Amino acid sequence: MVDAFLVNGLDLGLELGVSLVAATALLLRRRLPLAVFLVTLPGLYIGCIWFAPMIALYTLAALRPGRARLGGCAALLIAAHFLPYPLSDLDPGAYRENVQVLIDATVTSAAPIALGLLVRTRRELAARVDDLTRSLRREDRLIADRVLATERARLAREMHDVVAHQVSLISLQAGAVQVSTGEDAARESARTIRELSVRTLEELRHMVGILRAAGGGSADARDLAPQPDLAELPRLIEMSALDVVYEHEVPDGAAGAKAVERAAFRTVQEALTNVRKHAPGARVRVRVAAVGAERAEGSAEGAEPVAPRGLRVEVRNGPPDASAPAPALPGGGHGLVGLRERAQSLGGLLEAGHTADGGFLVRAEFPRDAG
């Protein structure tokens, strides 16, 4: 508006009229950028105002980009700027002046287009960066959910391995007290302990099922807390209250990574728990040995043994003793599944099945450097 009065003065006439119309039309430039630009061209051609058509062309480039549209509008602005009003004032022979005016008109049309396209590009880049940021945040949430699910699955295995073992041992000891004691009060207390143990295992089985369903079956290599290793197996066997023969055939330093020792311990623990549940009174043989530690075939007598490539764990029990009281402990079927998943996560394998004499065998092998 100021541009119109500065160029055309305060006398109302055609020049000032078209200039004011051009300036007023800018109020609608965001809704109708092309129409507003066309309305401002008479203001440039007749009224000689520059800012209104340049602002309109900038808005058109920022909101409605298109090569054909912008090219046509640029040509119109150049023509409105180059051609004089009235057209009869054009002097074709004034080459130098006409070239200068043409260059000025070209710059006048190119500058707002370039600025509008730059602003639009920056706006699009900002929107793209915002989308990428939201995508990264969403991906971070998915990764966090996956880690949480993995920890739930690990927690389910650890809970089953540790708590089920201890509770079943409590139930077994309570059953022994119930059978051997002659006092009614002690017998009643032992019976209550057995019932609470059974109920605890039932609730544990339900909780483990929920955690495994929420966490899936994947494994995570990170440790949740300090875990037992092979050095604690004798104490585990001693506390199991079972008839166990333990054979330890692992040279010092040949067991492998801590994750391997922990997996071997959990395998023995779960196998002993299953013996108490399903084969009371059975004799058990636990063997832990290094795999591949023998000398190479044809080697000299004094040659060094080959470095062990892994660890093997075997827990074999005979048939149950018919005279031994069955603890009637519940089982959720997660123990061997968890052991197999643990072995596979370390690159090993686990086999379990009945033997010909009516017993059961659990055998697992773990690579030495797993975990």
Side-chain angles (χ1 to χ4, degrees), residues 316-371:
R316 183 190 300 268
N317 65 272
D321 186 356
S323 62
L329 296 175
H334 302 296
L336 291 178
V337 174
L339 291 181
R340 185 171 288 108
E341 291 175 354
R342 187 192 294 269
Q344 291 175 352
S345 69
L346 295 175
L349 55 89
L350 183 136
E351 300 175 348
H354 294 279
T355 59
D357 60 353
F360 200 82
L361 171 65
V362 176
R363 178 188 293 115
E365 288 192 11
F366 307 98
R368 184 176 186 274
D369 298 326

Short mmCIF file of all heavy atoms in Angstrom, two decimals, residues 316-371:
data_model
loop_
_atom_site.label_atom_id
_atom_site.label_comp_id
_atom_site.label_asym_id
_atom_site.label_seq_id
_atom_site.Cartn_x
_atom_site.Cartn_y
_atom_site.Cartn_z
N ARG A 316 21.11 -88.77 34.15
CA ARG A 316 20.39 -90.01 33.86
C ARG A 316 19.84 -90.57 35.16
O ARG A 316 20.56 -90.70 36.16
CB ARG A 316 21.32 -91.03 33.21
CG ARG A 316 20.65 -92.33 32.79
CD ARG A 316 21.71 -93.35 32.37
NE ARG A 316 22.50 -92.87 31.26
CZ ARG A 316 22.19 -93.12 29.98
NH1 ARG A 316 21.13 -93.84 29.68
NH2 ARG A 316 22.98 -92.64 29.02
N ASN A 317 18.56 -90.88 35.16
CA ASN A 317 17.96 -91.50 36.34
C ASN A 317 17.30 -92.82 35.96
O ASN A 317 16.86 -93.00 34.81
CB ASN A 317 16.93 -90.57 36.98
CG ASN A 317 15.73 -90.29 36.11
OD1 ASN A 317 15.75 -89.35 35.32
ND2 ASN A 317 14.67 -91.09 36.24
N GLY A 318 17.27 -93.73 36.91
CA GLY A 318 16.62 -95.01 36.70
C GLY A 318 15.12 -94.92 36.92
O GLY A 318 14.56 -93.82 37.11
N PRO A 319 14.44 -96.05 36.92
CA PRO A 319 12.99 -96.04 37.16
C PRO A 319 12.68 -95.63 38.58
O PRO A 319 13.51 -95.78 39.48
CB PRO A 319 12.59 -97.49 36.88
CG PRO A 319 13.84 -98.28 37.09
CD PRO A 319 14.97 -97.41 36.68
N PRO A 320 11.50 -95.10 38.82
CA PRO A 320 11.14 -94.67 40.18
C PRO A 320 10.99 -95.85 41.12
O PRO A 320 10.68 -96.98 40.70
CB PRO A 320 9.82 -93.93 39.97
CG PRO A 320 9.27 -94.49 38.71
CD PRO A 320 10.44 -94.82 37.85
N ASP A 321 11.18 -95.61 42.40
CA ASP A 321 11.00 -96.63 43.43
C ASP A 321 9.53 -96.66 43.80
O ASP A 321 8.97 -95.65 44.24
CB ASP A 321 11.87 -96.29 44.64
CG ASP A 321 11.83 -97.39 45.70
OD1 ASP A 321 11.07 -98.36 45.52
OD2 ASP A 321 12.56 -97.26 46.70
N ALA A 322 8.92 -97.77 43.63
CA ALA A 322 7.47 -97.87 43.88
C ALA A 322 7.14 -97.63 45.34
O ALA A 322 6.01 -97.20 45.66
CB ALA A 322 6.96 -99.24 43.45
N SER A 323 8.07 -97.88 46.23
CA SER A 323 7.79 -97.69 47.65
C SER A 323 7.97 -96.25 48.11
O SER A 323 7.58 -95.89 49.22
CB SER A 323 8.70 -98.60 48.48
OG SER A 323 10.07 -98.26 48.27
N ALA A 324 8.59 -95.43 47.28
CA ALA A 324 8.82 -94.04 47.67
C ALA A 324 7.56 -93.22 47.44
O ALA A 324 6.88 -93.38 46.41
CB ALA A 324 9.98 -93.45 46.86
N PRO A 325 7.21 -92.36 48.39
CA PRO A 325 5.99 -91.54 48.21
C PRO A 325 6.19 -90.50 47.11
O PRO A 325 7.23 -89.86 47.03
CB PRO A 325 5.81 -90.86 49.58
CG PRO A 325 7.19 -90.83 50.17
CD PRO A 325 7.89 -92.07 49.67
N ALA A 326 5.19 -90.39 46.26
CA ALA A 326 5.25 -89.39 45.18
C ALA A 326 4.86 -88.03 45.73
O ALA A 326 3.85 -87.92 46.44
CB ALA A 326 4.32 -89.79 44.05
N PRO A 327 5.63 -86.99 45.45
CA PRO A 327 5.31 -85.67 46.01
C PRO A 327 4.09 -85.02 45.40
O PRO A 327 3.56 -84.06 45.94
CB PRO A 327 6.58 -84.86 45.71
CG PRO A 327 7.18 -85.53 44.52
CD PRO A 327 6.87 -86.99 44.65
N ALA A 328 3.64 -85.47 44.25
CA ALA A 328 2.46 -84.90 43.58
C ALA A 328 2.62 -83.40 43.35
O ALA A 328 1.73 -82.61 43.59
CB ALA A 328 1.20 -85.19 44.38
N LEU A 329 3.79 -83.02 42.85
CA LEU A 329 4.05 -81.60 42.56
C LEU A 329 3.56 -81.27 41.16
O LEU A 329 3.71 -82.07 40.24
CB LEU A 329 5.54 -81.31 42.68
CG LEU A 329 6.15 -81.50 44.07
CD1 LEU A 329 7.65 -81.29 44.01
CD2 LEU A 329 5.51 -80.56 45.07
N PRO A 330 2.97 -80.09 40.97
CA PRO A 330 2.49 -79.72 39.64
C PRO A 330 3.63 -79.36 38.71
O PRO A 330 4.70 -78.95 39.13
CB PRO A 330 1.61 -78.49 39.92
CG PRO A 330 2.20 -77.89 41.15
CD PRO A 330 2.69 -79.05 41.98
N GLY A 331 3.39 -79.50 37.44
CA GLY A 331 4.39 -79.14 36.43
C GLY A 331 3.73 -78.41 35.29
O GLY A 331 2.64 -78.77 34.86
N GLY A 332 4.41 -77.38 34.80
CA GLY A 332 3.84 -76.59 33.72
C GLY A 332 4.39 -76.94 32.35
O GLY A 332 3.96 -76.39 31.35
N GLY A 333 5.37 -77.86 32.29
CA GLY A 333 5.94 -78.22 31.01
C GLY A 333 6.91 -77.20 30.46
O GLY A 333 7.30 -77.26 29.30
N HIS A 334 7.32 -76.21 31.28
CA HIS A 334 8.21 -75.16 30.79
C HIS A 334 9.68 -75.47 31.03
O HIS A 334 10.54 -74.82 30.45
CB HIS A 334 7.88 -73.82 31.47
CG HIS A 334 6.47 -73.37 31.25
ND1 HIS A 334 5.99 -73.06 30.00
CD2 HIS A 334 5.45 -73.17 32.12
CE1 HIS A 334 4.72 -72.68 30.11
NE2 HIS A 334 4.38 -72.74 31.38
N GLY A 335 9.97 -76.41 31.93
CA GLY A 335 11.35 -76.65 32.31
C GLY A 335 12.23 -77.08 31.17
O GLY A 335 13.23 -76.42 30.85
N LEU A 336 11.90 -78.20 30.53
CA LEU A 336 12.71 -78.70 29.42
C LEU A 336 12.66 -77.75 28.22
O LEU A 336 13.66 -77.62 27.50
CB LEU A 336 12.24 -80.10 29.01
CG LEU A 336 12.50 -81.22 30.04
CD1 LEU A 336 11.95 -82.54 29.54
CD2 LEU A 336 14.00 -81.34 30.33
N VAL A 337 11.52 -77.11 28.03
CA VAL A 337 11.44 -76.14 26.93
C VAL A 337 12.42 -74.99 27.16
O VAL A 337 13.15 -74.57 26.26
CB VAL A 337 10.00 -75.59 26.80
CG1 VAL A 337 9.95 -74.47 25.78
CG2 VAL A 337 9.04 -76.71 26.41
N GLY A 338 12.46 -74.49 28.41
CA GLY A 338 13.39 -73.42 28.72
C GLY A 338 14.84 -73.86 28.59
O GLY A 338 15.69 -73.10 28.11
N LEU A 339 15.14 -75.11 29.01
CA LEU A 339 16.50 -75.61 28.87
C LEU A 339 16.90 -75.72 27.40
O LEU A 339 18.03 -75.40 27.02
CB LEU A 339 16.62 -76.98 29.54
CG LEU A 339 16.51 -77.01 31.07
CD1 LEU A 339 16.66 -78.44 31.58
CD2 LEU A 339 17.55 -76.11 31.71
N ARG A 340 15.98 -76.19 26.57
CA ARG A 340 16.29 -76.32 25.15
C ARG A 340 16.51 -74.94 24.52
O ARG A 340 17.42 -74.76 23.71
CB ARG A 340 15.17 -77.07 24.45
CG ARG A 340 15.45 -77.37 22.98
CD ARG A 340 14.40 -78.30 22.40
NE ARG A 340 14.54 -79.65 22.90
CZ ARG A 340 13.69 -80.22 23.77
NH1 ARG A 340 12.65 -79.53 24.21
NH2 ARG A 340 13.88 -81.45 24.18
N GLU A 341 15.68 -73.98 24.90
CA GLU A 341 15.86 -72.63 24.37
C GLU A 341 17.19 -72.04 24.84
O GLU A 341 17.89 -71.36 24.07
CB GLU A 341 14.71 -71.74 24.83
CG GLU A 341 13.37 -72.09 24.19
CD GLU A 341 12.24 -71.27 24.76
OE1 GLU A 341 12.49 -70.53 25.74
OE2 GLU A 341 11.11 -71.36 24.25
N ARG A 342 17.54 -72.29 26.08
CA ARG A 342 18.81 -71.77 26.59
C ARG A 342 19.98 -72.37 25.83
O ARG A 342 20.93 -71.69 25.45
CB ARG A 342 18.93 -72.09 28.09
CG ARG A 342 20.14 -71.46 28.75
CD ARG A 342 20.35 -72.06 30.14
NE ARG A 342 19.29 -71.72 31.04
CZ ARG A 342 19.29 -70.65 31.83
NH1 ARG A 342 20.31 -69.81 31.79
NH2 ARG A 342 18.28 -70.42 32.65
N ALA A 343 19.92 -73.70 25.60
CA ALA A 343 21.01 -74.36 24.86
C ALA A 343 21.10 -73.83 23.43
O ALA A 343 22.20 -73.57 22.92
CB ALA A 343 20.78 -75.87 24.86
N GLN A 344 19.97 -73.67 22.77
CA GLN A 344 19.99 -73.17 21.39
C GLN A 344 20.50 -71.74 21.32
O GLN A 344 21.20 -71.37 20.37
CB GLN A 344 18.59 -73.26 20.80
CG GLN A 344 18.12 -74.70 20.57
CD GLN A 344 16.68 -74.76 20.09
OE1 GLN A 344 15.98 -73.76 20.07
NE2 GLN A 344 16.23 -75.95 19.72
N SER A 345 20.18 -70.93 22.32
CA SER A 345 20.66 -69.55 22.31
C SER A 345 22.17 -69.47 22.44
O SER A 345 22.78 -68.49 22.02
CB SER A 345 20.00 -68.77 23.46
OG SER A 345 20.47 -69.22 24.72
N LEU A 346 22.78 -70.50 23.02
CA LEU A 346 24.23 -70.54 23.15
C LEU A 346 24.90 -71.29 22.01
O LEU A 346 26.12 -71.47 22.01
CB LEU A 346 24.61 -71.20 24.49
CG LEU A 346 24.20 -70.45 25.75
CD1 LEU A 346 24.51 -71.26 27.00
CD2 LEU A 346 24.89 -69.09 25.82
N GLY A 347 24.11 -71.74 21.04
CA GLY A 347 24.66 -72.49 19.93
C GLY A 347 24.82 -73.97 20.20
O GLY A 347 25.51 -74.68 19.46
N GLY A 348 24.20 -74.46 21.26
CA GLY A 348 24.29 -75.88 21.61
C GLY A 348 23.01 -76.62 21.31
O GLY A 348 22.17 -76.16 20.53
N LEU A 349 22.85 -77.77 21.95
CA LEU A 349 21.65 -78.58 21.75
C LEU A 349 21.34 -79.33 23.04
O LEU A 349 22.21 -79.53 23.89
CB LEU A 349 21.83 -79.55 20.58
CG LEU A 349 23.03 -80.51 20.62
CD1 LEU A 349 22.66 -81.81 21.32
CD2 LEU A 349 23.49 -80.83 19.19
N LEU A 350 20.10 -79.75 23.16
CA LEU A 350 19.65 -80.51 24.32
C LEU A 350 18.72 -81.61 23.86
O LEU A 350 17.83 -81.38 23.03
CB LEU A 350 18.94 -79.59 25.32
CG LEU A 350 18.48 -80.28 26.61
CD1 LEU A 350 18.80 -79.41 27.84
CD2 LEU A 350 16.98 -80.58 26.59
N GLU A 351 18.95 -82.80 24.40
CA GLU A 351 18.12 -83.97 24.10
C GLU A 351 17.57 -84.50 25.42
O GLU A 351 18.27 -84.53 26.44
CB GLU A 351 18.93 -85.05 23.39
CG GLU A 351 19.53 -84.60 22.06
CD GLU A 351 20.42 -85.68 21.46
OE1 GLU A 351 20.73 -86.65 22.20
OE2 GLU A 351 20.81 -85.53 20.30
N ALA A 352 16.34 -84.95 25.38
CA ALA A 352 15.71 -85.51 26.57
C ALA A 352 14.74 -86.59 26.13
O ALA A 352 14.02 -86.42 25.14
CB ALA A 352 14.99 -84.43 27.37
N GLY A 353 14.73 -87.69 26.87
CA GLY A 353 13.81 -88.78 26.53
C GLY A 353 13.94 -89.94 27.49
O GLY A 353 14.87 -90.00 28.32
N HIS A 354 13.00 -90.86 27.38
CA HIS A 354 12.99 -92.03 28.24
C HIS A 354 14.06 -93.04 27.79
O HIS A 354 14.41 -93.13 26.61
CB HIS A 354 11.61 -92.69 28.21
CG HIS A 354 10.53 -91.84 28.82
ND1 HIS A 354 10.32 -91.75 30.18
CD2 HIS A 354 9.61 -91.01 28.24
CE1 HIS A 354 9.32 -90.93 30.42
NE2 HIS A 354 8.86 -90.46 29.26
N THR A 355 14.56 -93.78 28.75
CA THR A 355 15.55 -94.82 28.48
C THR A 355 14.89 -96.19 28.47
O THR A 355 13.74 -96.35 28.87
CB THR A 355 16.67 -94.77 29.53
OG1 THR A 355 16.11 -94.98 30.84
CG2 THR A 355 17.38 -93.43 29.50
N ALA A 356 15.66 -97.19 28.03
CA ALA A 356 15.09 -98.54 27.90
C ALA A 356 14.73 -99.15 29.24
O ALA A 356 13.82 -100.00 29.33
CB ALA A 356 16.09 -99.44 27.16
N ASP A 357 15.41 -98.75 30.31
CA ASP A 357 15.13 -99.34 31.63
C ASP A 357 14.02 -98.61 32.38
O ASP A 357 13.82 -98.86 33.57
CB ASP A 357 16.41 -99.34 32.47
CG ASP A 357 16.95 -97.93 32.70
OD1 ASP A 357 16.40 -96.98 32.10
OD2 ASP A 357 17.93 -97.79 33.46
N GLY A 358 13.32 -97.71 31.71
CA GLY A 358 12.23 -97.01 32.36
C GLY A 358 12.64 -95.71 33.02
O GLY A 358 11.81 -95.06 33.68
N GLY A 359 13.89 -95.31 32.84
CA GLY A 359 14.35 -94.06 33.41
C GLY A 359 14.23 -92.91 32.42
O GLY A 359 13.44 -92.96 31.46
N PHE A 360 15.04 -91.91 32.65
CA PHE A 360 14.98 -90.71 31.81
C PHE A 360 16.39 -90.14 31.68
O PHE A 360 17.20 -90.21 32.61
CB PHE A 360 14.06 -89.66 32.44
CG PHE A 360 13.55 -88.63 31.46
CD1 PHE A 360 12.47 -88.90 30.65
CD2 PHE A 360 14.16 -87.38 31.35
CE1 PHE A 360 11.99 -87.96 29.75
CE2 PHE A 360 13.70 -86.44 30.46
CZ PHE A 360 12.60 -86.74 29.66
N LEU A 361 16.67 -89.58 30.50
CA LEU A 361 17.99 -89.03 30.22
C LEU A 361 17.85 -87.61 29.68
O LEU A 361 17.07 -87.37 28.76
CB LEU A 361 18.74 -89.90 29.21
CG LEU A 361 20.05 -89.33 28.67
CD1 LEU A 361 21.08 -89.22 29.79
CD2 LEU A 361 20.58 -90.19 27.53
N VAL A 362 18.64 -86.71 30.26
CA VAL A 362 18.75 -85.34 29.76
C VAL A 362 20.22 -85.12 29.41
O VAL A 362 21.09 -85.25 30.27
CB VAL A 362 18.30 -84.31 30.81
CG1 VAL A 362 18.51 -82.89 30.28
CG2 VAL A 362 16.84 -84.52 31.17
N ARG A 363 20.47 -84.80 28.14
CA ARG A 363 21.85 -84.58 27.70
C ARG A 363 21.91 -83.24 26.96
O ARG A 363 21.09 -82.98 26.07
CB ARG A 363 22.31 -85.69 26.76
CG ARG A 363 23.74 -85.47 26.24
CD ARG A 363 24.14 -86.47 25.15
NE ARG A 363 24.26 -87.82 25.67
CZ ARG A 363 23.47 -88.83 25.31
NH1 ARG A 363 22.49 -88.62 24.43
NH2 ARG A 363 23.64 -90.02 25.81
N ALA A 364 22.87 -82.43 27.34
CA ALA A 364 23.04 -81.11 26.71
C ALA A 364 24.52 -80.91 26.37
O ALA A 364 25.40 -81.36 27.11
CB ALA A 364 22.55 -80.00 27.63
N GLU A 365 24.77 -80.23 25.27
CA GLU A 365 26.13 -79.87 24.87
C GLU A 365 26.15 -78.38 24.54
O GLU A 365 25.25 -77.87 23.87
CB GLU A 365 26.60 -80.69 23.65
CG GLU A 365 26.89 -82.14 23.97
CD GLU A 365 27.61 -82.83 22.84
OE1 GLU A 365 28.06 -82.13 21.91
OE2 GLU A 365 27.76 -84.08 22.89
N PHE A 366 27.20 -77.72 25.02
CA PHE A 366 27.34 -76.29 24.82
C PHE A 366 28.72 -75.99 24.24
O PHE A 366 29.71 -76.57 24.69
CB PHE A 366 27.20 -75.54 26.15
CG PHE A 366 25.96 -75.87 26.91
CD1 PHE A 366 26.00 -76.80 27.95
CD2 PHE A 366 24.75 -75.29 26.61
CE1 PHE A 366 24.87 -77.13 28.67
CE2 PHE A 366 23.60 -75.61 27.31
CZ PHE A 366 23.67 -76.54 28.35
N PRO A 367 28.80 -75.10 23.26
CA PRO A 367 30.12 -74.69 22.76
C PRO A 367 30.90 -73.99 23.88
O PRO A 367 30.34 -73.32 24.73
CB PRO A 367 29.79 -73.71 21.63
CG PRO A 367 28.38 -74.00 21.27
CD PRO A 367 27.70 -74.49 22.51
N ARG A 368 32.21 -74.16 23.84
CA ARG A 368 33.04 -73.64 24.93
C ARG A 368 33.01 -72.13 25.01
O ARG A 368 32.99 -71.56 26.10
CB ARG A 368 34.50 -74.11 24.73
CG ARG A 368 35.43 -73.72 25.83
CD ARG A 368 36.82 -74.31 25.60
NE ARG A 368 37.68 -74.04 26.74
CZ ARG A 368 38.39 -72.93 26.90
NH1 ARG A 368 38.32 -71.99 25.96
NH2 ARG A 368 39.16 -72.75 27.96
N ASP A 369 33.00 -71.44 23.88
CA ASP A 369 33.10 -69.99 23.86
C ASP A 369 31.76 -69.30 23.64
O ASP A 369 31.69 -68.17 23.20
CB ASP A 369 34.08 -69.54 22.76
CG ASP A 369 35.48 -70.06 23.01
OD1 ASP A 369 35.86 -70.17 24.19
OD2 ASP A 369 36.18 -70.37 22.04
N ALA A 370 30.65 -70.01 23.91
CA ALA A 370 29.34 -69.41 23.71
C ALA A 370 29.10 -68.35 24.79
O ALA A 370 29.68 -68.36 25.85
CB ALA A 370 28.24 -70.48 23.78
N GLY A 371 28.14 -67.43 24.46
CA GLY A 371 27.75 -66.41 25.42
C GLY A 371 28.67 -65.25 25.46
O GLY A 371 28.53 -64.39 26.29
#
